[in-house]
Amino acid sequence: PETGATTQSTWGPRVKSETSMVLLEVCVESSEAALAAIKNGARRIELCDKLDEGGISPSLSCVESSLRASSEPVHVMVRPRPGNFVYTPTELEHMACFVRQCKELNVSGFVFGILNAQNEVDVEACRFLVSLCQPLSVTFHRAFDLVVDKVSALHEIVSIGFHRVLTSGGPGNAVDNLDVLRELTAIARDIGDRKSV
């Protein structure tokens, strides 16, 4: 299993030996925090801003400085604002622009999640953004926790092309939802190749 600031569980090899070791991913808001996390064992950085509000997209200057400071992969959150995960066409275009700019800076991957008004995966919007992120790694973030039918959502997320799902399994934290996480991990291993939840 992978572990981090929030818990992830692996359903297939993404990189060498990932299924046989603990991989610590840490969410940070600055290059200084990224450097401190790496010194303390982090092997992947999730970069965002306003962690106290669930995290939003960092500034491009923060992305640049964090990439310079980090010796480990930096995955950038793509979330234009706090609140729900239902985005307008204008917000989606801003997200797309941010992805393009970050790709030019050579980030390692992206973290986002897009839902519709019924808190279902917005397949069309997610597929659009994932296509822009290719060939980089893409993680569906904890918007997944708001989805009611998590099994169907997991199938959709895999079919769209996400490599990982970041989830606590539902309300509360991962420890509160271990049975759900075990079920999702088992399902994901059956349907996913080179993926992790």
Side-chain angles (χ1 to χ4, degrees):
E2 298 180 357
T3 183
T6 52
T7 298
Q8 299 185 48
S9 54
T10 300
W11 76 60
R14 173 59 186 161
V15 294
K16 184 179 180 181
S17 299
E18 191 167 275
T19 57
S20 60
M21 67 178 186
V22 172
L23 189 151
L24 180 65
E25 176 180 287
V26 179
C27 298
V28 303
E29 297 178 305
S30 68
S31 57
E32 293 83 6
L35 190 57
I38 291 166
K39 286 182 177 179
N40 285 280
R43 291 297 171 262
R44 187 162 61 224
I45 298 297
E46 181 182 320
L47 185 65
C48 58
D49 193 10
K50 297 188 178 180
L51 275 171
D52 59 334
E53 298 186 59
I56 64 169
S57 301
S59 67
L60 288 174
S61 61
C62 180
V63 175
E64 290 180 302
S65 61
S66 297
L67 287 170
R68 286 194 298 268
S70 178
S71 57
E72 300 294 342
V74 175
H75 292 203
V76 177
M77 180 172 284
V78 184
R79 187 183 180 199
R81 54 162 172 78
N84 65 33
F85 302 100
V86 182
Y87 300 115
T88 66
T90 298
E91 288 174 324
L92 285 172
E93 186 49 47
H94 288 161
M95 294 166 78
C97 181
F98 183 68
V99 166
R100 295 184 186 104
Q101 292 171 319
C102 287
K103 285 184 75 173
E104 292 181 1
L105 298 175
N106 294 319
V107 302
S108 296
F110 296 96
V111 182
F112 62 88
I114 307 172
L115 305 179
N116 61 26
Q118 290 73 46
N119 277 345
E120 302 163 335
V121 175
D122 188 329
V123 174
E124 183 178 351
C126 284
R127 185 170 283 126
F128 164 68
L129 214 56
V130 166
S131 70
L132 294 180
C133 295
Q134 292 177 348
L136 302 181
S137 175
V138 190
T139 300
F140 194 99
H141 65 36
R142 290 185 63 181
F144 185 82
D145 291 346
L146 301 180
V147 174
V148 175
D149 188 346
K150 290 179 171 49
V151 173
S152 294
L154 186 56
H155 280 269
E156 290 174 331
I157 287 166
V158 171
S159 70
I160 290 166
F162 284 92
H163 300 94
R164 299 180 185 87
V165 177
L166 183 62
T167 180
S168 294
N173 58 44
V175 175
D176 298 326
N177 300 293
L178 287 177
D179 289 342
V180 174
L181 289 171
R182 289 189 187 102
E183 179 186 9
L184 292 172
T185 300
I187 293 168
R189 284 182 177 143
D190 289 336
I191 65 174
D193 178 30
R194 295 167 55 88
K195 306 285 191 288
S196 50
V197 167

Short mmCIF file of all heavy atoms in Angstrom, two decimals, residues 85-115:
data_model
loop_
_atom_site.label_atom_id
_atom_site.label_comp_id
_atom_site.label_asym_id
_atom_site.label_seq_id
_atom_site.Cartn_x
_atom_site.Cartn_y
_atom_site.Cartn_z
N PHE A 85 -17.05 20.55 -6.21
CA PHE A 85 -16.20 20.12 -7.32
C PHE A 85 -16.97 20.15 -8.64
O PHE A 85 -16.65 19.42 -9.58
CB PHE A 85 -15.64 18.73 -7.03
CG PHE A 85 -14.86 18.67 -5.75
CD1 PHE A 85 -15.44 18.17 -4.60
CD2 PHE A 85 -13.56 19.14 -5.70
CE1 PHE A 85 -14.73 18.14 -3.41
CE2 PHE A 85 -12.84 19.11 -4.52
CZ PHE A 85 -13.43 18.61 -3.37
N VAL A 86 -17.99 20.99 -8.68
CA VAL A 86 -18.78 21.21 -9.90
C VAL A 86 -18.30 22.52 -10.50
O VAL A 86 -18.42 23.58 -9.88
CB VAL A 86 -20.28 21.28 -9.58
CG1 VAL A 86 -21.09 21.46 -10.86
CG2 VAL A 86 -20.73 20.03 -8.82
N TYR A 87 -17.78 22.46 -11.72
CA TYR A 87 -17.13 23.62 -12.30
C TYR A 87 -17.87 24.14 -13.54
O TYR A 87 -18.43 23.36 -14.31
CB TYR A 87 -15.68 23.29 -12.66
CG TYR A 87 -14.88 22.87 -11.46
CD1 TYR A 87 -14.38 21.59 -11.35
CD2 TYR A 87 -14.64 23.77 -10.41
CE1 TYR A 87 -13.65 21.20 -10.23
CE2 TYR A 87 -13.91 23.39 -9.30
CZ TYR A 87 -13.41 22.10 -9.21
OH TYR A 87 -12.70 21.73 -8.10
N THR A 88 -17.83 25.44 -13.70
CA THR A 88 -18.42 26.09 -14.88
C THR A 88 -17.48 25.91 -16.07
O THR A 88 -16.30 25.60 -15.91
CB THR A 88 -18.62 27.59 -14.61
OG1 THR A 88 -17.33 28.21 -14.48
CG2 THR A 88 -19.45 27.83 -13.35
N PRO A 89 -17.98 26.13 -17.29
CA PRO A 89 -17.10 26.08 -18.45
C PRO A 89 -15.91 27.04 -18.34
O PRO A 89 -14.79 26.68 -18.76
CB PRO A 89 -18.02 26.47 -19.61
CG PRO A 89 -19.38 26.02 -19.16
CD PRO A 89 -19.40 26.28 -17.68
N THR A 90 -16.12 28.20 -17.77
CA THR A 90 -15.01 29.15 -17.59
C THR A 90 -13.98 28.60 -16.63
O THR A 90 -12.76 28.71 -16.87
CB THR A 90 -15.55 30.50 -17.08
OG1 THR A 90 -16.45 31.04 -18.04
CG2 THR A 90 -14.41 31.48 -16.85
N GLU A 91 -14.44 28.00 -15.54
CA GLU A 91 -13.50 27.41 -14.58
C GLU A 91 -12.74 26.24 -15.20
O GLU A 91 -11.52 26.08 -14.97
CB GLU A 91 -14.26 26.93 -13.33
CG GLU A 91 -14.74 28.07 -12.45
CD GLU A 91 -15.60 27.62 -11.30
OE1 GLU A 91 -16.39 26.65 -11.47
OE2 GLU A 91 -15.51 28.24 -10.22
N LEU A 92 -13.41 25.44 -16.01
CA LEU A 92 -12.74 24.34 -16.68
C LEU A 92 -11.66 24.84 -17.63
O LEU A 92 -10.58 24.24 -17.74
CB LEU A 92 -13.74 23.48 -17.45
CG LEU A 92 -14.61 22.55 -16.60
CD1 LEU A 92 -15.70 21.92 -17.46
CD2 LEU A 92 -13.76 21.48 -15.94
N GLU A 93 -11.92 25.95 -18.31
CA GLU A 93 -10.91 26.51 -19.20
C GLU A 93 -9.71 27.03 -18.41
O GLU A 93 -8.57 26.89 -18.84
CB GLU A 93 -11.51 27.62 -20.07
CG GLU A 93 -10.55 28.15 -21.12
CD GLU A 93 -9.89 27.05 -21.94
OE1 GLU A 93 -10.59 26.13 -22.40
OE2 GLU A 93 -8.65 27.11 -22.12
N HIS A 94 -9.97 27.62 -17.25
CA HIS A 94 -8.87 28.06 -16.39
C HIS A 94 -8.04 26.86 -15.93
O HIS A 94 -6.80 26.93 -15.87
CB HIS A 94 -9.41 28.81 -15.18
CG HIS A 94 -9.95 30.17 -15.50
ND1 HIS A 94 -10.81 30.85 -14.67
CD2 HIS A 94 -9.75 30.99 -16.56
CE1 HIS A 94 -11.13 32.02 -15.21
NE2 HIS A 94 -10.50 32.11 -16.36
N MET A 95 -8.71 25.77 -15.60
CA MET A 95 -8.01 24.55 -15.19
C MET A 95 -7.16 24.01 -16.34
O MET A 95 -6.01 23.60 -16.14
CB MET A 95 -9.02 23.50 -14.73
CG MET A 95 -9.78 23.89 -13.46
SD MET A 95 -11.24 22.86 -13.10
CE MET A 95 -10.47 21.40 -12.41
N ALA A 96 -7.72 24.02 -17.54
CA ALA A 96 -6.98 23.55 -18.70
C ALA A 96 -5.75 24.41 -18.95
O ALA A 96 -4.66 23.90 -19.26
CB ALA A 96 -7.88 23.54 -19.93
N CYS A 97 -5.90 25.71 -18.84
CA CYS A 97 -4.78 26.63 -19.03
C CYS A 97 -3.68 26.36 -18.00
O CYS A 97 -2.49 26.34 -18.33
CB CYS A 97 -5.27 28.07 -18.94
SG CYS A 97 -3.98 29.31 -19.18
N PHE A 98 -4.09 26.13 -16.76
CA PHE A 98 -3.12 25.86 -15.70
C PHE A 98 -2.37 24.56 -15.98
O PHE A 98 -1.15 24.48 -15.78
CB PHE A 98 -3.86 25.79 -14.36
CG PHE A 98 -2.96 25.57 -13.18
CD1 PHE A 98 -2.08 26.55 -12.77
CD2 PHE A 98 -3.02 24.37 -12.46
CE1 PHE A 98 -1.25 26.34 -11.67
CE2 PHE A 98 -2.21 24.17 -11.37
CZ PHE A 98 -1.31 25.15 -10.97
N VAL A 99 -3.06 23.54 -16.45
CA VAL A 99 -2.41 22.28 -16.80
C VAL A 99 -1.36 22.51 -17.88
O VAL A 99 -0.22 22.02 -17.79
CB VAL A 99 -3.45 21.23 -17.27
CG1 VAL A 99 -2.78 20.06 -17.97
CG2 VAL A 99 -4.27 20.74 -16.09
N ARG A 100 -1.72 23.25 -18.91
CA ARG A 100 -0.77 23.50 -20.00
C ARG A 100 0.47 24.23 -19.48
O ARG A 100 1.61 23.92 -19.86
CB ARG A 100 -1.44 24.32 -21.10
CG ARG A 100 -2.58 23.60 -21.82
CD ARG A 100 -3.13 24.46 -22.95
NE ARG A 100 -4.31 23.86 -23.56
CZ ARG A 100 -5.56 24.28 -23.34
NH1 ARG A 100 -5.79 25.31 -22.52
NH2 ARG A 100 -6.58 23.69 -23.92
N GLN A 101 0.27 25.21 -18.62
CA GLN A 101 1.39 25.98 -18.08
C GLN A 101 2.29 25.10 -17.20
O GLN A 101 3.51 25.18 -17.28
CB GLN A 101 0.87 27.16 -17.27
CG GLN A 101 0.20 28.23 -18.13
CD GLN A 101 -0.51 29.29 -17.28
OE1 GLN A 101 -1.15 28.98 -16.28
NE2 GLN A 101 -0.41 30.54 -17.71
N CYS A 102 1.67 24.24 -16.40
CA CYS A 102 2.46 23.38 -15.52
C CYS A 102 3.22 22.32 -16.32
O CYS A 102 4.34 21.92 -15.94
CB CYS A 102 1.57 22.71 -14.49
SG CYS A 102 0.99 23.82 -13.19
N LYS A 103 2.64 21.83 -17.41
CA LYS A 103 3.36 20.87 -18.25
C LYS A 103 4.62 21.50 -18.82
O LYS A 103 5.66 20.84 -18.92
CB LYS A 103 2.46 20.37 -19.38
CG LYS A 103 1.41 19.37 -18.94
CD LYS A 103 0.61 18.84 -20.10
CE LYS A 103 1.39 17.84 -20.93
NZ LYS A 103 0.54 17.21 -21.98
N GLU A 104 4.56 22.77 -19.17
CA GLU A 104 5.74 23.46 -19.67
C GLU A 104 6.83 23.58 -18.61
O GLU A 104 8.01 23.69 -18.94
CB GLU A 104 5.36 24.85 -20.18
CG GLU A 104 4.50 24.83 -21.43
CD GLU A 104 4.14 26.22 -21.93
OE1 GLU A 104 4.59 27.21 -21.30
OE2 GLU A 104 3.43 26.31 -22.94
N LEU A 105 6.43 23.54 -17.34
CA LEU A 105 7.39 23.60 -16.25
C LEU A 105 7.93 22.22 -15.87
O LEU A 105 8.80 22.11 -15.01
CB LEU A 105 6.74 24.25 -15.02
CG LEU A 105 6.28 25.69 -15.19
CD1 LEU A 105 5.55 26.17 -13.93
CD2 LEU A 105 7.45 26.61 -15.51
N ASN A 106 7.40 21.17 -16.51
CA ASN A 106 7.87 19.79 -16.30
C ASN A 106 7.50 19.21 -14.94
O ASN A 106 8.32 18.57 -14.28
CB ASN A 106 9.38 19.69 -16.53
CG ASN A 106 9.76 19.93 -17.98
OD1 ASN A 106 9.08 19.46 -18.89
ND2 ASN A 106 10.82 20.69 -18.19
N VAL A 107 6.25 19.43 -14.53
CA VAL A 107 5.76 18.73 -13.33
C VAL A 107 5.64 17.25 -13.66
O VAL A 107 5.66 16.85 -14.83
CB VAL A 107 4.41 19.30 -12.86
CG1 VAL A 107 4.53 20.79 -12.56
CG2 VAL A 107 3.31 19.03 -13.88
N SER A 108 5.49 16.43 -12.63
CA SER A 108 5.39 14.98 -12.83
C SER A 108 3.97 14.48 -12.99
O SER A 108 3.74 13.39 -13.50
CB SER A 108 6.05 14.25 -11.66
OG SER A 108 7.42 14.54 -11.60
N GLY A 109 3.00 15.26 -12.51
CA GLY A 109 1.62 14.81 -12.60
C GLY A 109 0.64 15.82 -12.05
O GLY A 109 1.04 16.90 -11.57
N PHE A 110 -0.63 15.46 -12.11
CA PHE A 110 -1.71 16.36 -11.71
C PHE A 110 -2.70 15.64 -10.81
O PHE A 110 -2.87 14.41 -10.89
CB PHE A 110 -2.44 16.90 -12.93
CG PHE A 110 -1.58 17.76 -13.81
CD1 PHE A 110 -0.95 17.23 -14.92
CD2 PHE A 110 -1.39 19.10 -13.51
CE1 PHE A 110 -0.14 18.03 -15.72
CE2 PHE A 110 -0.58 19.90 -14.30
CZ PHE A 110 0.04 19.36 -15.41
N VAL A 111 -3.36 16.42 -9.96
CA VAL A 111 -4.34 15.90 -9.01
C VAL A 111 -5.61 16.75 -9.12
O VAL A 111 -5.56 17.96 -8.91
CB VAL A 111 -3.81 15.96 -7.57
CG1 VAL A 111 -4.81 15.36 -6.59
CG2 VAL A 111 -2.46 15.26 -7.46
N PHE A 112 -6.73 16.14 -9.49
CA PHE A 112 -7.99 16.88 -9.57
C PHE A 112 -9.16 15.90 -9.57
O PHE A 112 -8.99 14.69 -9.70
CB PHE A 112 -8.05 17.76 -10.83
CG PHE A 112 -7.99 17.00 -12.14
CD1 PHE A 112 -9.14 16.53 -12.74
CD2 PHE A 112 -6.77 16.78 -12.76
CE1 PHE A 112 -9.09 15.83 -13.93
CE2 PHE A 112 -6.70 16.09 -13.97
CZ PHE A 112 -7.86 15.61 -14.55
N GLY A 113 -10.34 16.45 -9.40
CA GLY A 113 -11.56 15.66 -9.50
C GLY A 113 -12.70 16.59 -9.90
O GLY A 113 -12.80 17.71 -9.40
N ILE A 114 -13.54 16.14 -10.81
CA ILE A 114 -14.66 16.96 -11.29
C ILE A 114 -15.94 16.14 -11.17
O ILE A 114 -16.02 15.01 -11.67
CB ILE A 114 -14.44 17.39 -12.75
CG1 ILE A 114 -13.08 18.06 -12.93
CG2 ILE A 114 -15.55 18.34 -13.19
CD1 ILE A 114 -12.70 18.34 -14.37
N LEU A 115 -16.93 16.72 -10.51
CA LEU A 115 -18.22 16.06 -10.33
C LEU A 115 -19.32 16.87 -11.01
O LEU A 115 -19.14 18.05 -11.33
CB LEU A 115 -18.54 15.94 -8.84
CG LEU A 115 -17.51 15.23 -7.94
CD1 LEU A 115 -17.99 15.23 -6.49
CD2 LEU A 115 -17.24 13.82 -8.42
#
